[in-house]
C-alpha cells in the first residue's frame, strides 16, 4: 500500500511538542464543551453533518478559540501573527503539525476535541477533511486515508463493557479512539492496524490526549499480535464493508463477502481470557436460501457465549449506493459511477446476496458446556452507553444456565429500574386485552405478559422468593398453586433474560 499521495504527518517522536500543543489547546478552551459554548447547538450539530457554514459564521472574530476552530476543525489558513500568541507555532511548524504559506499557517491534520467517558479532554487526530465534524466530511479517496470519530466508532465505544481489566486489544485501531477508551480501564493496551499511517495517527492521538502510548503492531487481524498473547477485552471496528475489491483501507476488508468479519469473530475466542469480552461491529450477508441468524450462529467460536444484535438491514441496491456515496463516486462522471455500481451488483448476484445486515457482536468467554447464543433483530432506539447492559446480559445468562426451575422458584428477584406497565384495551372494558412491560433504559425493550406475569413483576423487590409470590398470587386468583408453579417459570426466565428482572 502506498500513501505517497497523502500529506506528511506530524512527527510522532516529539512528546514535548504534543504536550505543549495540548496545553495551548486546553488553555484556549478548545474542548468539546468549549466548542458547544462557542458555536451553539445548531452550528455544532451542523458540523456532524459536514456542514461548515454555520461554524464559519460563528468564528469570524479573533479570539483564541475562534482561531483554533478555523485552523483545526474548518481547515482555514490563519495569519501567523495572530495564532503565534495562542500556539507554539514555530515548534508546530518544525514538527509538522502546521504548514506555512506566506504569512499564514494551516493545519497538517484534523484535530477534533473529544470528551471522554469520565469527562476527559481528548483530541482525536485524522487526515485533513476526514474528521467527522471537520471540513466537508471524508474529502479524500486515497487508499490509506485515516478517518476520525464517526457514528460507528461512537456506537462501539458505547456498547463496550468498561470493567477494569488487565489487558485490552484494539484491532484495526484507525485514529485510536477505541484504544484511548480502553486505556482508561485496562492496565495494558495493544493496538493493531494493517495501515502504518493509522498507527502513526494513533500515536499522535494518544500523545495529544496526554495518555500513555499503547503497544502498536502493524498487520491484519490477529497476525501481528504476539503468539500466545491473550486479552481480557478485544474491540474492533473493522473494515467491514462488503465490496468488490479493496479500494479504501479504512472500510474495505479485502476478503470475499463477509469473510473478514467471520474470520475476526471465529479467531477471537482463542485470544480471550476466561471471563473476557470481545466486541465488534460487523456487516453480514443475507443469502438466498439461508437464515441470516444461522449464518451468524456458525461464526461463534467454541467456549463463548454470544449476543448478536442486527440493528439495520439494507437491500443490495441501498447498500451499494451508501458506500459509493461514501467514496464520493457519485461525484464522478456518470459512466464511471454506473460501472462501479454494476460491479457491486455483480458481486452480490454471484454470491446470491439479497441484503446486508449491520449490527453488534459480543462474545463472552465462559467455557460453558452449553454455550448461550442469542441472535436477534432490534432496530429500535436504545440508550447509550450500553456497556453495563451488555455486561449484565451475560450475568443473567450465566445465572439462568446455572439455575433450574426449582432453583428459580427459590430465587429472589428485583424489578429493574424504570420499567413501566402499559395496559391496552377497549375503553370501559373490565380487563385489558394486553399488558405490556416497557423499559425506559438500556435496550428499551417491551414485552407482553399475562396478568400473573404482570402481578409477579410488580411485587418483585427482593424480599420474597418467586415461589412464595406465586403462592400468594394463586390465593388471590383462585388458581391451583402447583399448576401456577409449573407454568410460570418460563415467563420468569424470559423476563430475566430480557432484563426486566434481576436475580437478587
Amino acid at each position: 500500500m502506498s500513501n505517497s499521495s497523502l500529506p506528511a504527518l506530524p512527527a510522532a517522536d516529539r512528546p514535548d511538542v504534543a504536550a505543549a500543543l495540548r496545553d495551548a489547546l486546553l488553555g484556549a478552551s478548545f474542548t468539546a464543551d468549549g466548542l458547544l459554548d462557542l458555536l451553539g447547538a445548531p452550528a455544532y450539530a451542523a458540523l456532524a453533518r459536514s456542514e461548515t457554514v454555520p461554524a464559519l459564521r460563528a468564528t469570524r472574530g479573533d479570539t483564541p478559540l475562534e482561531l483554533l476552530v478555523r485552523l483545526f476543525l474548518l481547515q482555514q489558513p490563519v495569519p501567523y501573527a495572530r495564532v503565534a500568541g495562542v500556539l507554539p507555532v514555530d515548534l508546530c511548524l518544525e514538527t509538522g503539525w502546521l504548514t506555512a504559506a506566506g504569512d499564514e499557517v494551516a493545519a497538517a491534520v484534523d484535530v477534533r476535541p473529544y470528551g471522554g467517558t469520565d469527562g476527559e479532554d481528548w483530541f482525536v487526530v485524522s487526515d485533513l477533511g476526514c474528521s467527522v465534524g471537520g471540513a466537508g466530511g471524508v474529502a479524500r479517496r486515497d487508499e490509506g486515508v485515516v478517518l476520525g470519530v464517526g457514528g460507528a466508532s461512537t456506537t462501539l465505544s458505547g456498547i463496550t463493557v468498561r470493567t477494569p481489566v488487565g489487558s485490552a486489544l484494539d484491532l484495526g485501531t484507525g485514529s485510536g479512539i477505541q484504544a484511548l477508551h480502553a486505556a482508561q480501564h485496562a492496565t495494558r493496551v495493544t493496538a493493531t492496524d494493517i495501515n502504518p499511517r493509522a498507527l502513526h495517527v494513533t500515536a499522535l492521538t494518544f500523545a495529544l490526549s496526554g495518555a500513555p502510548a499503547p503497544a502498536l503492531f502493524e498487520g491484519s487481524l490477529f497476525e501481528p499480535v504476539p503468539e500466545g498473547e491473550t486479552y481480557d477485552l478485544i474491540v474492533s471496528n473493522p473494515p467491514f464493508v462488503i465490496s468488490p475489491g479493496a479500494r479504501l483501507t479504512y472500510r474495505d476488508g479485502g476478503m470475499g463477502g463477509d469473510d473478514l468479519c467471520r474470520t475476526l469473530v471465529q479467531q477471537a475466542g482463542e485470544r480471550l481470557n476466561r471471563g473476557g469480552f470481545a466486541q465488534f461491529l460487523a456487516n453480514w450477508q443475507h443469502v438466498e436460501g439461508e437464515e441470516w441468524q444461522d449464518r451468524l450462529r456458525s461464526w461463534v467460536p467454541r467456549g463463548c457465549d454470544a449476543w448478536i444484535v442486527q440493528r439495520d438491514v439494507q437491500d443490495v441496491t441501498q447498500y451499494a449506493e451508501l458506500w459509493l456515496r461514501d467514496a464520493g463516486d457519485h461525484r464522478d462522471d456518470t459512466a464511471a459511477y454506473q460501472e462501479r455500481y454494476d460491479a457491486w451488483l455483480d458481486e452480490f448476484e454471484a454470491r446470491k446476496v439479497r441484503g446486508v445486515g449491520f449490527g453488534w457482536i459480543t462474545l463472552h468467554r465462559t467455557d460453558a458446556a452449553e454455550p448461550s447464543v442469542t441472535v436477534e433483530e432490534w432496530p429500535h432506539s436504545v440508550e447509550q452507553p450500553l456497556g453495563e447492559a451488555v455486561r449484565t446480559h451475560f450475568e443473567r445468562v450465566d445465572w439462568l444456565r446455572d439455575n433450574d426451575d426449582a432453583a428459580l422458584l427459590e430465587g429472589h428477584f428485583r424489578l429493574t429500574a424504570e420499567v413501566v406497565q402499559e395496559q391496552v384495551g377497549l375503553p370501559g372494558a373490565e380487563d385489558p386485552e394486553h399488558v405490556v412491560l416497557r423499559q425506559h433504559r438500556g435496550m428499551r425493550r417491551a414485552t407482553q405478559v399475562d396478568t400473573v406475569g404482570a402481578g409477579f413483576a410488580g411485587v418483585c423487590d427482593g424480599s420474597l422468593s418467586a415461589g412464595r409470590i406465586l403462592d400468594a398470587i394463586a390465593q388471590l386468583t383462585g388458581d391451583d398453586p402447583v399448576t401456577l408453579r409449573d407454568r410460570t417459570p418460563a415467563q420468569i426466565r424470559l423476563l430475566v433474560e430480557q432484563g426486566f428482572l434481576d436475580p437478587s
Side-chain angles (χ1 to χ4, degrees):
M1 182 193 69
S2 172
N3 289 323
S4 58
S5 63
L6 291 167
L9 292 170
D13 58 353
R14 290 292 302 271
D16 57 323
V17 178
L21 178 55
R22 172 179 171 79
D23 288 343
L25 297 177
L26 292 176
S29 296
F30 187 68
T31 64
D33 289 341
L35 289 183
L36 183 58
D37 289 341
L38 171 67
L39 302 178
Y44 191 73
L47 279 178
R49 303 190 299 270
S50 298
E51 295 291 348
T52 58
V53 172
L56 286 166
R57 291 173 59 87
T59 56
R60 290 181 290 194
D62 283 328
T63 67
L65 182 54
E66 288 170 305
L67 289 170
L68 293 179
V69 170
R70 291 204 299 274
L71 183 64
F72 285 116
L73 272 189
L74 304 177
Q75 279 90 63
Q76 301 293 308
V78 299
Y80 175 102
R82 291 183 184 175
V83 79
V86 181
L87 298 176
V89 175
D90 291 335
L91 276 177
C92 290
L93 288 169
E94 176 190 338
T95 53
W97 287 96
L98 300 176
T99 60
D103 60 355
E104 293 183 318
V105 296
V109 288
D110 271 311
V111 175
R112 176 179 170 82
Y114 182 92
T117 307
D118 296 321
E120 303 92 346
D121 286 315
W122 294 336
F123 299 98
V124 179
V125 179
S126 64
D127 273 309
L128 286 172
C130 298
S131 172
V132 174
V138 180
R140 308 187 65 94
R141 282 181 278 174
D142 303 85
E143 182 183 359
V145 70
V146 181
L147 270 61
V149 177
S153 47
T154 55
T155 294
L156 179 59
S157 66
I159 67 172
T160 301
V161 176
R162 296 297 175 196
T163 52
V165 294
S167 56
L169 170 64
D170 177 15
L171 281 181
T173 189
S175 58
I177 189 58
Q178 306 303 329
L180 193 55
H181 276 287
Q184 308 310 299
H185 62 102
T187 303
R188 176 172 54 87
V189 177
T190 301
T192 72
D193 206 290
I194 196 172
N195 182 2
R197 188 175 181 88
L199 297 177
H200 191 133
V201 168
T202 292
L204 297 175
T205 291
F206 269 73
L208 200 56
S209 297
L216 300 174
F217 295 99
E218 180 184 342
S220 177
L221 299 178
F222 291 96
E223 292 172 3
V225 176
E227 186 174 355
E229 191 85 16
T230 57
Y231 302 89
D232 302 308
L233 174 67
I234 299 172
V235 292
S236 183
N237 177 18
F240 52 68
V241 176
I242 300 170
S243 60
R247 292 173 60 203
L248 299 173
T249 304
Y250 73 85
R251 70 166 206 190
D252 301 320
M255 296 186 184
D258 52 16
D259 283 354
L260 183 135
C261 291
R262 175 185 57 80
T263 302
L264 177 62
V265 174
Q266 289 180 337
Q267 292 181 354
E270 63 187 19
R271 292 290 190 167
L272 270 182
N273 293 326
R274 194 175 191 279
F277 289 92
Q279 299 187 260
F280 316 105
L281 301 185
N283 274 174
W284 44 80
Q285 298 172 149
H286 285 225
V287 179
E288 183 179 339
E290 175 187 76
E291 295 294 331
W292 66 269
Q293 296 94 332
D294 293 339
R295 183 180 192 84
L296 290 170
R297 288 189 185 97
S298 72
W299 292 7
V300 178
R302 294 182 61 183
C304 291
D305 291 339
W307 183 18
I308 302 172
V309 182
Q310 179 169 275
R311 296 288 289 157
D312 187 27
V313 62
Q314 294 181 311
D315 67 47
V316 293
T317 59
Q318 292 173 315
Y319 189 79
E321 290 162 14
L322 170 67
W323 294 108
L324 287 166
R325 288 182 173 274
D326 170 80
D329 291 325
H330 61 297
R331 293 191 291 267
D332 289 345
D333 67 86
T334 302
Y337 174 80
Q338 291 177 342
E339 183 180 350
R340 292 191 180 104
Y341 198 154
D342 215 28
W344 283 70
L345 296 185
D346 283 344
E347 178 84 2
F348 286 133
E349 185 176 348
R351 296 178 178 276
K352 298 183 178 180
V353 176
R354 296 294 175 261
V356 178
F358 167 80
W360 320 323
I361 298 176
T362 300
L363 306 178
H364 184 218
R365 183 67 185 265
T366 63
D367 296 324
E370 297 182 9
S372 167
V373 178
T374 300
V375 183
E376 63 175 319
E377 187 165 18
W378 191 253
H380 312 293
S381 64
V382 299
E383 182 191 52
Q384 285 274 36
L386 271 172
E388 183 63 11
V390 173
R391 185 189 67 79
T392 56
H393 166 86
F394 287 99
E395 277 191 350
R396 294 192 300 270
V397 165
D398 283 340
W399 191 92
L400 290 169
R401 180 166 44 214
D402 294 341
N403 288 270
D404 60 16
D405 286 355
L408 183 147
L409 291 172
E410 292 298 319
H412 294 239
F413 300 89
R414 289 183 181 274
L415 187 68
T416 54
E418 295 193 40
V419 172
V420 298
Q421 177 179 303
E422 300 174 356
Q423 298 186 168
V424 181
L426 293 173
E430 183 175 347
D431 296 313
E433 293 180 18
H434 305 291
V435 179
V436 174
L437 299 182
R438 186 179 302 276
Q439 300 167 346
H440 283 266
R441 302 193 66 179
M443 291 293 287
R444 293 177 173 165
R445 296 186 187 276
T447 190
Q448 186 173 326
V449 294
D450 59 21
T451 53
V452 171
F456 179 89
V459 297
C460 279
D461 61 3
S463 61
L464 297 176
S465 69
R468 289 187 62 187
I469 292 174
L470 291 177
D471 291 343
I473 291 175
Q475 282 188 325
L476 290 172
T477 61
D479 289 325
D480 177 58
V482 175
T483 302
L484 205 59
R485 280 174 171 254
D486 284 343
R487 69 177 174 86
T488 308
Q491 189 170 189
I492 297 174
R493 284 185 178 277
L494 181 63
L495 292 175
V496 172
E497 180 183 345
Q498 294 190 342
F500 290 92
L501 295 176
D502 281 328
S504 176

